[in-house]
Amino acid sequence: AQSVTQPDIHITVSEGASLELRCNYSYGATPYLFWYVQSPGQGLQLLLKYFSGDTLVQGIKGFEAEFKRSQSSFNLRKPSVHWSDAAEYFCAVGARGGGNKLTFGTGTQLKVEL
Amino acid sequence: GAVVSQHPSWVICKSGTSVKIECRSLDFQATTMFWYRQFPKQSLMLMATSNEGSKATYEQGVEKDKFLINHASLTLSTLTVTSAHPEDSSFYICSAQRGGESYNSPLHFGNGTRLTVT
């Protein structure tokens, strides 16, 4: 079974600073990887996904993530954070052939200081 | 496009009563819907997969008789928490997969339902 670890529960960055949210996964083969963002009291919005090919994936809102097989990681990055990026971020993994059943990490709460 | 509406947004009920939560795909047909439960400061835990016209598939440890799921049409799935108890208090989120899309296509999430059982 697959699993996801997001080591950072909370992260605070200043507006304009760069951001990296960590995600490590456990899966026996190459997984499908996702990053979702959740605003308070709301559902999840897909930021980006990795299925195959280029390991550097571009997403919406200026986010990108890099799949590193050797480190079993899929860290999310943004070069310059905006105050509106404050939210909860979830990394998720899906098994190939497993349909759309995703396993989510515990999330990282991002706070942006003005 | 691809809007998923969940109703109600929040509900407070007394212990022992049942609560129904609706998940609707407003502008697409959803052959598959997923129900998640999210505890405070925790991740989303998949409860069940709901396929239109067939019985839901529950994840291990989820009580089928406790959490009744019905997917009667291509745009509506319901989750009924029967005989609710305070430990059922949680944030429930549904997601929908657009019919005809591949199994690895993005899911569309509802805004969730906050259930509080007193």
Side-chain angles (χ1 to χ4, degrees):
Chain A
Q2 63 263 31
S3 65
V4 179
T5 301
Q6 291 180 248
D8 305 305
I9 299 174
H10 300 281
I11 282 187
T12 300
V13 298
S14 299
E15 188 175 38
S18 63
L19 170 71
E20 182 169 31
L21 302 182
R22 296 183 292 166
C23 171
N24 292 96
Y25 69 90
S26 174
Y27 182 62
T30 301
Y32 295 130
L33 295 162
F34 306 80
W35 274 99
Y36 284 87
V37 60
Q38 183 182 32
S39 296
Q42 303 219 345
L44 278 69
Q45 181 183 23
L46 179 68
L47 287 175
L48 47 79
K49 61 185 179 182
Y50 170 79
F51 288 159
S52 64
D54 193 345
T55 56
L56 184 62
V57 180
Q58 301 297 320
I60 63 171
K61 303 184 180 184
F63 286 93
E64 66 177 26
E66 186 171 11
F67 170 57
K68 293 186 176 180
R69 184 191 306 275
S70 61
Q71 299 177 19
S72 297
S73 69
F74 189 57
N75 295 348
L76 182 71
R77 300 193 294 250
K78 187 170 184 177
S80 178
V81 170
H82 189 262
W83 65 267
S84 60
D85 293 325
E88 183 107 27
Y89 291 80
F90 291 95
C91 181
V93 61
R96 292 181 182 268
N100 233 325
K101 292 172 60 173
L102 302 182
T103 299
F104 287 84
T106 50
T108 298
Q109 183 71 47
L110 174 65
K111 180 179 176 182
V112 180
E113 291 182 333
L114 300 177
Chain B
V3 176
V4 175
S5 174
Q6 219 174 307
H7 178 81
S9 300
W10 58 270
V11 57
I12 301 173
C13 71
K14 292 186 177 180
S15 187
T17 62
S18 295
V19 174
K20 180 183 285 187
I21 302 170
E22 294 186 347
C23 180
R24 293 182 184 271
S25 55
L26 297 185
D27 53 359
F28 67 99
Q29 292 185 332
T31 51
T32 303
M33 289 185 173
F34 301 87
W35 286 96
Y36 297 85
R37 182 173 180 178
Q38 185 179 26
F39 291 100
K41 307 300 183 185
Q42 293 191 30
S43 184
L44 285 76
M45 301 299 296
L46 179 64
M47 299 174 66
T49 303
S50 167
N51 291 297
E52 186 269 334
S54 62
K55 290 184 178 181
T57 302
Y58 290 81
E59 294 300 302
Q60 191 172 9
V62 178
E63 299 176 60
K64 305 178 182 182
D65 298 329
K66 174 76 171 176
F67 300 99
L68 300 178
I69 292 173
N70 183 276
H71 194 157
S73 77
L74 286 171
T75 59
L76 174 65
S77 176
T78 61
L79 167 67
T80 301
V81 183
T82 62
S83 186
H85 291 283
E87 57 266 29
D88 299 324
S89 299
S90 192
F91 193 57
Y92 294 87
I93 303 177
C94 72
S95 67
Q97 179 177 328
R98 187 194 298 262
E101 290 186 343
S102 64
Y103 66 89
N104 56 11
S105 60
L107 297 176
H108 309 286
F109 284 82
N111 283 346
T113 297
R114 171 74 59 194
L115 170 63
T116 301
V117 184
T118 60

